[in-house]
Amino acid sequence: MDKLEGLKFDERGLIPAIVQDVDTKEVLMLAYMNEDSLRKTLDTGETWFWSRSRKELWHKGETSGHIQKVKSINYDCDGDTLLIEAEQKGVACHTGARSCFFNLLYLFEEDREEKATPDIIEKLYKIITDRKENPRKDSYTNYLLDEGLDKILKKVGEETAEVIIAAKNPDRNELIYETGDLLYHLLVLLRERDIAPREIFAELGNRFK
């Protein structure tokens, strides 16, 4: 049975493909595939698309190095849209942004306060990784990474002390704030040592066994 059976390509022989970060579930980009680019994606494990302007196949990250390692491909109930979960190296957008979807059109009033979810750790780690691979001027994260391990360890020590002091005080908001600072610096340390948060999660999971 052909893997592509059940897919509905449009009159141009194209199907839209949404690319999503496998860890954070952030939507990174939307592009189009034809049958050839989809088969190359399946064969290589990296995303290939069809350029509607250049009328040719293109390999995501071929020149920039920002490739997408495919982890899964699903299609919707109508068979006319693909959802690709991938491990993004670097950034997805040609502008240098992490995701192509960074232009806010509208935000409902009740959603103006960002709702943090458990995947915020992975999202923050991805941002730190992006700063490491694509340094930005005046970035505090880049300052820490440039200074190296000793500076990062010093900051982790300082933030740990701040958490201890805050825990002794009655103001719970101070403890929340200082804990946020400590978690951020711990993530910078993990990035410096090339350890992903999921490895820590896996270690915690093993302790339930």
Side-chain angles (χ1 to χ4, degrees), residues 68-87:
Q68 295 168 341
K69 291 284 188 179
V70 176
K71 299 302 180 181
S72 68
I73 302 178
N74 290 279
Y75 57 90
D76 71 344
C77 54
D78 294 321
D80 60 4
T81 304
L82 300 175
L83 177 62
I84 301 173
E85 289 195 327
E87 182 180 296

Side-chain angles (χ1 to χ4, degrees), residues 104-121:
L104 180 64
L105 178 64
Y106 185 75
L107 184 65
F108 286 93
E109 187 66 33
E110 59 268 26
D111 293 328
R112 290 191 179 276
E113 183 176 347
E114 183 178 356
K115 295 179 176 62
T117 56
D119 65 357
I120 192 68
I121 295 293

Side-chain angles (χ1 to χ4, degrees), residues 107-154:
L107 184 65
F108 286 93
E109 187 66 33
E110 59 268 26
D111 293 328
R112 290 191 179 276
E113 183 176 347
E114 183 178 356
K115 295 179 176 62
T117 56
D119 65 357
I120 192 68
I121 295 293
E122 286 285 359
K123 289 180 179 178
L124 182 53
Y125 186 80
K126 289 285 186 181
I127 292 173
I128 294 169
T129 297
D130 180 52
R131 293 292 186 274
K132 186 176 181 69
E133 297 175 350
N134 303 279
R136 294 189 183 183
K137 185 180 179 181
D138 299 327
S139 165
Y140 176 66
T141 300
N142 281 130
Y143 163 73
L144 290 175
L145 293 170
D146 290 343
E147 289 293 310
L149 182 60
D150 287 345
K151 181 64 174 181
I152 296 170
L153 290 174
K154 181 181 178 183

Side-chain angles (χ1 to χ4, degrees), residues 154-168 178 182:
K154 181 181 178 183
K155 289 300 298 180
V156 169
E158 290 174 357
E159 297 302 335
T160 300
E162 293 291 341
V163 168
I164 293 171
I165 294 170
K168 297 287 287 183
E178 296 298 345
L182 176 58

Side-chain angles (χ1 to χ4, degrees), residues 14 20 25 29 40 61 74 82 121 134 145 186-187:
L14 303 177
Q20 183 180 44
K25 308 308 177 186
M29 59 178 286
K40 284 186 74 69
N74 290 279
L82 300 175
I121 295 293
N134 303 279
L145 293 170
L186 283 173
L187 288 175

Side-chain angles (χ1 to χ4, degrees), residues 27-40:
V27 176
L28 299 174
M29 59 178 286
L30 182 147
Y32 287 84
M33 290 182 167
N34 61 8
E35 185 173 330
D36 287 342
S37 66
L38 180 51
R39 290 191 186 280
K40 284 186 74 69

